[in-house]
Amino acid sequence: MTSILFIVFLPLLAAIVAGFSNKTFGAVLPKIVTTGALFVSAVLSWTVFLPYLSGGEATVTPVLDWIHSGDMRIDWALRVDALTAVMLVVITSVSALVHLYSWGYMDEDPDQPRFFAYLSLFTFAMLMLVTADNLVQMFFGWEGVGLASYLLIGFWFRKPSANAAAIKAFVVNRVGDLGFMLGIFGTYLVFHTISIPEILRLAPGMAGSTIGFVGYRIDTMTLLCLLLFLGAMGKSAQLGLHTWLPDAMEGPTPVSALIHAATMVTAGVFMVCRLSPMFETSPFALHVVMTIGAATCLFAATVGLVQTDIKRVIAYSTCSQLGYMFFAAGCGAYGAAMFHLFTHAFFKALLFLGAGSVIHAMHHEQDMRYYGGLRKHIPLTFWGMMMGTLAITGVGLPAVFGNPVAFGFAGFHSKDAIIEGAWAAGQHGASIVGIIVALLTSFYSWRLMFLTFWGKPRWEQSEHIQHALHDAHGHGHDDHGHDHAHAHADHGHGPAAHSDGTGGYHPHESPFPMLIPLILLSVGAVLAGFVFHGYFIEPSAGEAYWHGAIAFNEHLMHAMHEVPLGVKLSASVAMLLGLLGAYIFYIRSPEAPGRLAATYRPIYLFLLNKWYFDELYNLLFVKPAFALGRFFWHRGDEKTINRLGPDGAAWVVERSARVAGRVQSGYVYTYAFVMLLGLTGAVTWAINIWATSK
C-alpha cells in the first residue's frame, strides 16, 4: 500500500521543509507545506479506513532493514489493520484541522515556521507509533512523541512556566517509559522476538508460567503486562503519572488540542488495545488497568469541578475521559475503549479549539470568572462549544420505552457503551464510578458553558482586558509570558464594578481559519457516535470490522445490550442531574458556589490543589533530588573532584611558580653561587659513586 507511505512520511517531509526554511521564506511557505501535507494525509487515511468497515486483512508495507544483531532481526515496516486505520483517521484529521486553526491563532507569532515544523514532527512520530509492526519501532514513535511534546509545550521558551511544564512532562514520561522499556526487554527475553503479531500469537501459550524478577517468581504475563502498562500510564496521564497533563496547558492552545485530543495521550490506550491478547492472559493485570482507569476517571472529574482556567477544566476532562477508556479495556471491552477514543478525538478537539477561540476573543484571558454573556458576541464559537458540550456530557435518547434505535451525540454512544460494558463484565463498581463521573462531567462542562456564555459580562475585572483597552498594539498570544493565575477563590460570578460589566471592551469572533475547524469538528461531535457505533461495539459488525486487530469479546458485546434498564438510563439521568446542578449554581443562584466553597473550604482547597499530588511529589521526589544534586555538586564536585583534580593541580603549579620566582633574584653572584652548589653536589655524587664501586 503506497498510500500508507505517503500518510506517514508526508508530515515528516513537511516538518523538514518548515524547519529548515526558518524565517528565510517567511511564515507562508511553512504553513502551506505543513497544512497541505496533513490534509493530503487525512484524505488518504479516510480512504484506508472506510474499506475496513466491511472487513479487511492486515497489510504490512516494508520500508527498510533496520537492526540485525545476532538472532535479533528488526525490519522497519508499516502495519495497517482496523485498529491502525482508526488511529490514522483520528491523528491526521485532528492534526490537519489544528494546522489550519493555527493559521489564525498563531498569525502574529514571529516563530511560526518553528511551530508548524514541530506540529508536523509530532504528527509523524504519532503515525510511526500506530503503524509499528514491532515493539522497538513502536518505542521509536513513543519517544518521538515525547520529544515533540517537550518542544511544543515549551514552545514559548522565554516563559519560565512553559519551560517548567515542558521539563515536567518530559521527566514524568521518562518514569513511565522506563517501565515500557523493561516490558519490551522482558517480552523479548520470553518470546525471543519483538514482532507484535508473533508475540500476540505466542502469548496464550505463556499463560500460567512464571519468571524470576527482583528475587521472586512472578506470573510471566502479569509482569510483562504491568510493565507495559506503566508506560501507558505515563503517556496517557493515569493517576500517579498524571501531573504533567494539566501543566501542558502552558503550550499554545492548538498544541493542547493536538496532545489532548488525538495524539500523545491516546498512545497508551492504543498500546493496551494493540497488545490486548497479551493482557487477556493475565486477569490480575486487567484488574489493575481497570482500577487505575476508574480511579483516574473519578479523580480528574472531581478536580475539574473547581478549576477556573478554561483550558485546565478541559485538560482534567481529558484525564477523566482517558480513565473511561482504560477501565473499559480493563473490563475486556476493547472495542468500547477504542470507540470512546474515536469519538473523544472530535469533541475534545472541538472544545479545546473553541476555548482557544474564546481566549482569542477575550484578549487571552483564560479565567472563566472574567467571562460571561459571550454567546451573543461570538455566536459561532458558542455553537461549536455547545456541540462539544452536548457530546462530552452524553446527550441522547437510549433505545428504551419503545424507542427502536438509540440516537445521540458522540459521547452518548461511546460513554454509555463503557458503563454498560463494565456492568456486563461483572465490574459493577467500575460501572458505578462511570455513572458518578458522568454526573460530574455534566456539571463541570455546563459550569464552563454557563460561566463563559451566560450571565452578565464580568470583563472589566480582567487585567488582560484592561491591558487591551490601554494598549492598542497588545495582541500577543495567550502564552507569551502572561500570568493567568489569580489569588482569590472561586466565588461564582463575582460582583461587577460597573453596570454593564464590560468596561468598554467588545469581544470579537475569531478569523475564518479558526472557525472552519470548529464547524467540521462539530459535525464529528454530532454524528461520529451514531454513524460508527455498530462497527466498534455491535457483536456481528464489530467482529467483522476488528477482524482480530484487538481481542474482541463478542459474548461481552451481546451481554452489554442485556444490562438492566436502570443501567441503560443511568448515564442520561446523571447527565440531567449535572445539568440541573450547574444551572442552579451558576444561573439561578450565582452566589451559591462562593457560599459552598466557604462552608466546605478544606474540601474545596483539597480539590483546587488537585488532591495535593504536586505538593506530595515535590516533598518526596523533587526536594530530595535537588538536595542530593546540591550535595554532589558542592561536596563531590567542587570540594572533592575539583579540589584534588584540576583545582589542586593548578594550586600546586601556582605555589611551585611562586617558590621558583623567589629563587630568580636577578643578581649574577646569586646565580654563580647556585651553580657552584650544583657543581659541588654533582662532583660529590660522582666521587661517592666511584668510591662505592671500588
Side-chain angles (χ1 to χ4, degrees):
M1 292 178 66
T2 56
S3 59
I4 188 63
L5 295 174
F6 284 102
I7 292 170
V8 173
F9 290 106
L10 272 178
L12 175 62
L13 294 175
I16 293 172
V17 171
F20 282 99
S21 69
N22 198 4
K23 300 178 183 178
T24 305
F25 302 100
V28 176
L29 177 65
K31 291 196 290 189
I32 292 175
V33 171
T34 54
T35 307
L38 260 299
F39 271 96
V40 172
S41 290
V43 171
L44 293 175
S45 295
W46 280 97
T47 64
V48 170
F49 169 69
L50 293 176
Y52 276 99
L53 297 179
S54 56
E57 297 286 343
T59 62
V60 178
T61 303
V63 178
L64 51 85
D65 296 339
W66 193 17
I67 300 173
H68 295 171
S69 178
D71 294 332
M72 184 175 67
R73 181 184 179 93
I74 304 174
D75 294 329
W76 203 303
L78 305 179
R79 179 179 182 82
V80 178
D81 55 14
L83 180 62
T84 304
V86 172
M87 297 303 296
L88 291 178
V89 165
V90 167
I91 295 165
T92 57
S93 298
V94 174
S95 183
L97 294 176
V98 167
H99 276 72
L100 178 60
Y101 181 92
S102 300
W103 279 55
Y105 194 85
M106 303 293 291
D107 183 52
E108 297 180 8
D109 193 285
D111 295 316
Q112 290 180 71
R114 179 165 60 91
F115 179 78
F116 281 89
Y118 288 171
L119 280 185
S120 293
L121 179 63
F122 191 104
T123 306
F124 163 74
M126 191 67 193
L127 291 171
M128 285 305 310
L129 191 159
V130 300
T131 57
D133 190 46
N134 59 71
L135 291 177
V136 174
Q137 189 179 333
M138 181 183 286
F139 188 73
F140 171 84
W142 195 273
E143 292 303 298
V145 169
L147 169 64
S149 67
Y150 170 79
L151 296 174
L152 284 168
I153 294 170
F155 177 74
W156 279 300
F157 53 85
R158 295 180 182 86
K159 184 181 178 185
S161 58
N163 285 329
I167 293 172
K168 186 176 184 179
F170 197 82
V171 171
V172 172
N173 272 275
R174 296 293 73 72
V175 176
D177 291 353
L178 174 61
F180 191 34
M181 285 190 291
L182 292 175
I184 294 174
F185 298 155
T187 301
Y188 180 75
L189 178 67
V190 170
F191 296 104
H192 306 292
T193 180
I194 44 83
S195 170
I196 293 175
E198 190 67 12
I199 291 169
L200 300 185
R201 184 183 68 82
L202 297 173
M206 294 303 299
S209 65
T210 60
I211 190 173
F213 184 70
V214 293
Y216 296 93
R217 298 299 298 181
I218 302 174
D219 182 81
T220 302
M221 297 309 298
T222 297
L223 175 64
L224 296 181
C225 290
L226 290 180
L227 288 173
L228 293 169
F229 177 62
L230 186 60
M233 287 178 62
K235 205 61 89 185
S236 294
Q238 293 301 282
L239 191 65
L241 296 178
H242 68 281
T243 53
W244 68 269
L245 192 64
D247 289 7
M249 296 301 97
E250 293 292 339
T253 298
V255 171
S256 304
L258 191 59
I259 290 177
H260 286 244
T263 49
M264 183 171 176
V265 296
T266 60
V269 180
F270 166 80
M271 187 262 284
V272 171
C273 290
R274 168 63 82 200
L275 303 179
S276 53
M278 282 184 67
F279 283 83
E280 285 293 302
T281 63
S282 174
F284 180 78
L286 282 177
H287 187 76
V288 171
V289 173
M290 181 199 67
T291 303
I292 295 294
T296 305
C297 196
L298 182 62
F299 154 76
T302 61
V303 175
L305 294 173
V306 298
Q307 299 301 306
T308 56
D309 186 313
I310 188 172
K311 287 173 64 176
R312 285 184 178 268
V313 173
I314 304 174
Y316 278 106
S317 168
T318 298
C319 196
S320 182
Q321 300 303 307
L322 289 166
Y324 267 119
M325 299 173 204
F326 275 110
F327 89 66
C331 295
Y334 302 102
M338 287 303 302
F339 187 29
H340 198 54
L341 185 155
F342 180 74
T343 61
H344 175 264
F346 294 103
F347 62 72
K348 187 51 60 68
L350 175 59
L351 287 171
F352 263 116
L353 297 184
S357 185
V358 171
I359 294 167
H360 185 273
M362 295 300 292
H363 196 73
H364 318 298
E365 175 59 73
Q366 294 184 204
D367 196 319
M368 297 183 298
R369 292 169 295 185
Y370 303 128
Y371 290 168
L374 287 175
R375 70 183 186 278
K376 296 179 181 179
H377 298 271
I378 47 174
L380 290 176
T381 298
F382 163 70
W383 283 111
M385 291 202 71
M386 176 62 76
M387 295 301 104
T389 301
L390 293 172
I392 193 174
T393 57
V395 174
L397 297 174
V400 295
F401 303 128
N403 181 32
V405 180
F407 178 79
F409 292 82
F412 165 77
H413 292 277
S414 57
K415 185 158 57 178
D416 283 25
I418 291 174
I419 293 172
E420 294 166 10
W423 189 277
Q427 303 294 345
H428 295 171
S431 185
I432 292 171
V433 168
I435 295 167
I436 295 171
V437 172
L439 187 152
L440 300 178
T441 302
S442 179
F443 180 86
Y444 67 64
S445 297
W446 288 110
R447 169 181 177 261
L448 183 152
M449 291 296 291
F450 292 148
L451 282 175
T452 302
F453 295 105
W454 273 271
K456 294 181 179 180
R458 304 176 297 278
W459 314 333
E460 66 177 9
Q461 302 172 47
S462 167
E463 295 179 4
H464 297 282
I465 300 301
Q466 295 304 315
H467 175 74
L469 294 174
H470 289 90
D471 184 3
H473 301 288
H475 292 289
H477 282 283
D478 64 312
D479 315 271
H480 284 277
H482 295 303
D483 181 9
H484 300 296
H486 298 273
H488 50 282
D490 178 12
H491 294 299
H493 287 248
H498 298 284
S499 58
D500 64 354
T502 66
Y505 184 75
H506 300 286
H508 51 88
E509 188 63 274
S510 298
F512 203 55
M514 294 175 64
L515 296 177
I516 294 176
L518 298 184
I519 296 170
L520 296 176
L521 289 170
S522 295
V523 176
V526 174
L527 296 177
F530 177 74
V531 173
F532 294 104
H533 77 278
Y535 301 104
F536 284 85
I537 59 175
E538 291 296 329
S540 56
E543 182 70 25
Y545 170 69
W546 290 115
H547 201 67
I550 61 173
F552 187 80
N553 190 334
E554 189 174 356
H555 172 74
L556 178 60
M557 295 300 101
H558 274 293
M560 191 175 74
H561 297 288
E562 306 298 329
V563 297
L565 178 62
V567 178
K568 288 182 177 292
L569 293 174
S570 59
S572 295
V573 172
M575 179 274 298
L576 292 173
L577 291 175
L579 169 60
L580 178 63
Y583 175 78
I584 292 173
F585 271 71
Y586 294 97
I587 299 297
R588 288 287 300 274
S589 304
E591 71 284 351
R595 292 201 305 265
L596 190 65
T599 303
Y600 300 98
R601 189 161 184 78
I603 298 176
Y604 169 75
L605 292 176
F606 180 72
L607 298 180
L608 186 66
N609 289 283
K610 302 155 289 189
W611 291 25
Y612 293 102
F613 267 100
D614 283 326
E615 289 78 4
L616 179 64
Y617 285 0
N618 189 57
L619 180 65
L620 294 179
F621 303 114
V622 178
K623 287 185 176 180
F626 274 101
L628 190 64
R630 282 192 294 269
F631 173 80
F632 282 116
W633 172 26
H634 292 299
R635 299 284 184 179
D637 189 17
E638 291 184 340
K639 295 189 176 181
T640 302
I641 297 175
N642 285 352
R643 187 174 184 179
L644 300 178
D647 289 349
W651 180 85
V652 170
V653 170
E654 181 187 8
R655 288 305 177 99
S656 301
R658 288 183 180 180
V659 172
R662 292 173 181 172
V663 175
Q664 304 298 321
S665 64
Y667 295 105
V668 175
Y669 59 81
T670 302
Y671 297 151
F673 178 69
V674 172
M675 293 172 63
L676 181 61
L677 289 177
L679 180 61
T680 303
V683 171
T684 303
W685 175 78
I687 293 173
N688 195 26
I689 292 297
W690 178 78
T692 304
S693 62
K694 289 293 184 180

